[in-house]
Structure formats: structure tokens, C-alpha cells
Amino acid sequence: MSNPIFKFKVSSVDEDRFGWVRQAEFGQRKLSTPVFMSLIKGKTEFDTYIDFMNTYKVEHLGACIIPIIDAKSTTERKITKLKELKNQNRLFEGGLASNRLENFFEKTLVGIDPYTEYPFYEFDNTLLKMSLSLAIPESLRQLTSDIYKFKLDNKGDRKAILAYSERKYVKFYLDLKADPASRTAFVRDFVNSESARGASFGIPSGPLVIHKFKDEMFDVLKEFTRISKALWKGECLTYLPIEQKCLSDYEFMDKVSDYIEKEDSHFALKVKNFDLIRSDSLTRNSFMKFEERLKIFRKEKNKLAILFEAGPQAIPCSVFGFDMVSTSMRALDKDGAFGANESKGRGGYFDPTWLLIRRYKEIVQIFKSSGNKLPCSCAVCKSITDLDALTTEFWNTARRKHFLFTMNGLMTEFTLNIKEKRIDLSYDRIVKSELCPLKRIIPPH
Amino acid sequence: MSVNETKMKQTSPKHQLEANELSSLPPRDRDEYSQKILMNFLEANPAGATTSEIMDKTNLSRTTITKQLGTLMKDGKVTESIHAIGKIQVSVFKTVGKRIHEKRVKDQFSDDVFYSFFSVERDRERYIYIQEKEIDEFRKERVRGAIAVSSKDFDIFIKEIMQFALETGQKERETERRS
């Protein structure tokens, strides 16, 4: 499947104080901001997402993001399937299935996250998966494998592991940057890999900006972004993966703001292990300042701002600061841990009133006390009348679909509030929930 | 507008590879990159440009520019017009236009043939641009032919086509009846 070349066309629809509703067209795809981008991990989640998107009309969910190491079991598998179905499309059954898949790819924006920051982080399973993935360049696989081996040999010695991965990671990127042929080959491999795995737009494969080496890593990132943009045929974002520590560095964040203002493309930010609920007020203030700068960039240059792996910030940042936000389909869980391990049982449930994930045990109590009803009126929750009768697999699929419905509902509510010039109601929604500490990243009205 | 006048306003593509980066790319990627840069350059300069002007603003060599412009012309994306400056003839290359919308229509009788409809903007005028494409033996898309009709003339154009189809259809039926 060749990826048609498109670019975002952004137009303003409505405005109220610090909030906008905008329309982003990307070929035939039309997205109404704010948009919730689901971060999809693995085959089952992708199948659930396709089924959901083909069944329900949801205005604010038409985009997803897939880690490159999961592309094999998700987009790559479906693209191969689509090709097979097209080759045998004379059969009625094949025709129907290929229509559903084609329909999905035509209507949904897919981003393939290069995951370049992961070798630096300590998630063993991800590292192992990454060191074996053919979707990433061999040099990065080798680096990941070295770090993984070191971590296995030095289990428990956290300090040594951190020092080793930091040294290896920084050296790897600085060496790459120094050699034009290697850096071009590295970026080209990522561009080709993302594109072949169904990405609608490009995400540059620059490194994570580690605060300790912020200037050097930021330079590498800018260089890699330039090459990615030169090589991508269609839309390629300006992408900034940073450590949360960078947020409280005003001087650095000013440099970042200057850079994204000068760049002519849309912008995506990823803050590793992003959590402003438990952070200090300096970090929150700095982030708020950054959002204020983004506002100018978004308004004057008509650019989109996207927040990847937004965690608990996803909802407040869709009220102010960003046009698209992404978190895992399992709800606003922290990056990396991805919530409780589902292999042990039933995962948590996103409470649409309090905007928090409730443990399954809590949900059983709420269900029983409210007359065998879940505290939500979405199509999935309404159909559940007996929790004991459900299989674990069914519950885990249902809770994801419920989360997608909830996010679409919230985005719709925020849109209506802006249309009715009552953005203060969106602010109040955050204040009255468990996300209350994050009211500080929304301007007072 | 003269060739010299257009040169004044030319802007170079923003994101380009350096010469040593470009030379490290494999041939296929180099071709794709060069075509992208040429299209970006010509879209940003709708009045068109000569090969030398393109050379000035990009890191591409004359040979690459000539080769890739040839491919783009074959694909129906670029047109060439000859301008005379005194006794010298200069080729000016333009894109067919900036593509605003695109729609694909399949041939009902063949899976390997389809039509692409574009709404394009050129010299501040809108055109409907239709390409007939086929999938060749290497499963690659190839443009068989193309036509651009100004939006202003489009109604008349459709009427004439309908009229023509009716007339020729009538003739075909008459031929069938006689035989």
C-alpha cells in the first residue's frame, strides 16, 4: 500500500478566550480538534480500535499512534492482509473485510512513534522487543541490545545502569551526528520504516533530550529533524522528546519555543514520564508558560500542537495548550508501567465523573450499589448488566472501548463549551475532578 | 513575466540535505528525494524556473535535475515551456499546479487502471486536472495521459463532452443498425 502524500490543512472554527475549535484536514480525513489520539500497543488493542472506529461515529478520535516496535503485529499485519484481500477481492467475504480495513486506513490518521528514547529507559520487555525488532535500524538495535545485556548483568545496581545507558546513549547519537553518511542512513531507515508501516505523517527519529546533555542532544535532535523533513514526502512533524526536568529549565524552554516558532511544520511534544500532579509548582509554571508561547505559534501560524504520552495531562491539555493529545487506550496511566498487568486479571475502569482510573474491585462495589449499572451511559457500559458473567478478555476490551467513548464525550463537551463561549465550564470540569491540581496549567478565566 | 523577473522572487526549499548527506543515499532514495525537492521548489515558485535557477537554490546537480525533471514530466507533474531570450532558447519548468484536492476513481472494467482527479491551482487560477493511470508490470503506478481544464471552462467542457458522447453514441447505434 503506497501512502498518498498529504499535508494538514488547518482552519479555525470557533474561539473562546484561550480555547479554539479547529478543523484539520488531511486528505479525505477530517479531524475536529481537540482530538484524542489513542496510543495502541499490540495486536488485540489494534483490532479493538479498528472495530470501534468502524462501528461508531466518533468525531474526536480519528487518529492513533503506534510504537514502531508494535507495528509488526498491528499496521504491518493489516497492510499485508489488505494486500492479500485485494488480490483475492473477487470473493465476497474478502471484499467485505478489505472494505473495512480500507475504510479504516482512509479515515484514520496513523502515526508510527520511532521510540528512540526507549534504549535510555529501563523497561526490560520493551528493550528486548526493541533489540529484536527489524523495524528499527541495526545500529540502534545493537545499542539497545548492549544496554539490555548490561542491565541483566547488573540487576539491582540502578546507579551503574543509569550511568551506563546515559553514556552509551549520548555517545551513540553524538557519533551519528558527526558522520553525514551514518546520520543520513539512520534517519532514512526510520523514514522508510515508518512509511512502509502505514504512517500517515512522519515523526523524526531524533534522540530524547536528556537534561544533563540538553544542548548537545537538542542540536542532534534539530539536525535529525532537518534530515527527516527533507526525506519525508508528505507531512513531517517537528518532534521534541524531552525529560520532564527540562520543563523547569526556563532558558532551555525558551530555546525550544524559539525553535518551534521558526520551523514551518506542526509540532509534537513528548515529556517522558510526564506527571505534573506530583511535580513542583516551578515545573507546572514553566509548562504553563510554554503553553502560552505555543498559543502564539498555533494562532499566528495556524499550526497544530500535539502532546504524545500525555498521561494525566491529556484532559487539561486538550482544554488549553494542545490540539491533539495521546495516551494509552487503557486510560490515563503512566507511561512505561501501562497500568496494572492484565495477565493477572481485570484492568481498571476510567471513571468519567472523577476522571480517574478505578480498580476493578472498586467498580464492582459501585456497580452493585447503583443497581447493577456502570457509572457511564456509553453504548458499551449500557450493555453490561452482569459483571460476573463477563470473561476477563471481554471486560478488558470493554473498558478500552468505554475509555474511547469517554474521551470522545469529553472532547465533544469541550468543543460545545467553546462554541457557546463557556470555556470556563471546561475549566470547572477539571477543578471538580481528581485532576484538580492540573488546573494550574490552564489560564484562569 | 520574463525569466529574469521570476528569478528575483525565487525561494529555495526549506529542508534540504547537505551535499555529503545526499551522496550517501542509495540511488532510489536519492531519486525520490530529488523529485520531492524539485516539486517543492516548483510549487513554491509557480512562475517556473530554469535548470540553472534550480541548481542555484538546491543542492542538486545539473544531471540530477535534468533526469528527474524528465521523470516528473513523464508522470504528468511538471510541464516544460520554451522561452526565447534573443537567440538563446531557455526551457522553463512549471508544476502542473498546486494540488488542492485529490480523488481516485477506479476503472469499472480493469483493476489496473484508474483515474485521479485533482483540483489544482496555477497562476492564481483553478483547474480540474485528470490523470489516467495504470499499474505496470512492476506494480508501479504510471501516468498514461492527462488533461487540465480551467474551472471557468469546465461547464462548457462537460456539455461538449456529453454532446460528443451522444453524437458518437448515436453514430455507433446507427452503424450497429445498418450492419
Side-chain angles (χ1 to χ4, degrees), chain A residues 401-414:
Chain A
K401 287 186 176 176
H402 152 73
F403 180 62
L404 291 177
F405 267 127
T406 308
M407 289 309 279
N408 188 59
L410 280 169
M411 304 287 148
T412 310
E413 187 185 317
F414 296 160

Side-chain angles (χ1 to χ4, degrees), chain B residues 14-156:
Chain B
K14 204 167 179 191
H15 304 285
Q16 292 193 61
L17 293 181
E18 291 164 7
N20 50 10
E21 290 170 342
L22 180 57
S23 61
S24 72
L25 285 178
R28 201 179 140 182
D29 289 332
R30 207 181 310 154
D31 287 353
E32 284 185 356
Y33 165 78
S34 308
Q35 285 178 20
K36 181 200 150 176
I37 289 293
L38 286 172
M39 285 304 290
N40 285 355
F41 180 75
L42 293 175
E43 273 173 10
N45 299 286
T50 64
T51 311
S52 306
E53 286 166 345
I54 299 172
M55 257 179 80
D56 278 352
K57 298 279 179 186
T58 63
N59 287 326
L60 304 176
S61 69
R62 183 177 289 276
T63 326
T64 308
I65 295 170
T66 313
K67 185 184 160 196
Q68 298 310 331
L69 281 175
T71 311
L72 291 171
M73 283 198 289
K74 219 187 276 174
D75 288 350
K77 291 175 182 164
V78 167
T79 58
E80 180 187 14
S81 54
I82 312 285
H83 289 244
I85 306 171
K87 285 179 183 173
I88 306 165
Q89 287 196 329
V90 180
S91 289
V92 174
F93 298 92
K94 284 183 185 181
T95 58
V96 167
K98 194 172 180 186
R99 295 173 186 199
I100 317 277
H101 294 290
E102 181 177 352
K103 190 181 178 183
R104 283 178 168 227
V105 180
K106 263 189 188 169
D107 187 316
Q108 281 188 40
F109 306 102
S110 164
D111 280 342
D112 287 346
V113 177
F114 59 92
Y115 303 95
S116 284
F117 294 177
F118 301 97
S119 168
V120 298
E121 207 174 74
R122 186 171 68 192
D123 300 337
R124 289 180 199 160
E125 213 177 299
R126 289 251 177 155
Y127 289 83
I128 302 292
Y129 180 58
I130 304 166
Q131 286 183 335
E132 184 192 13
K133 290 180 178 172
E134 65 179 353
I135 308 286
D136 68 13
E137 58 273 35
F138 304 109
R139 309 303 297 164
K140 231 184 137 189
E141 281 179 20
R142 187 165 59 195
V143 178
R144 286 215 295 215
I147 183 169
V149 184
S150 162
S151 295
K152 286 181 203 158
D153 298 333
F154 200 70
D155 284 346
I156 304 164

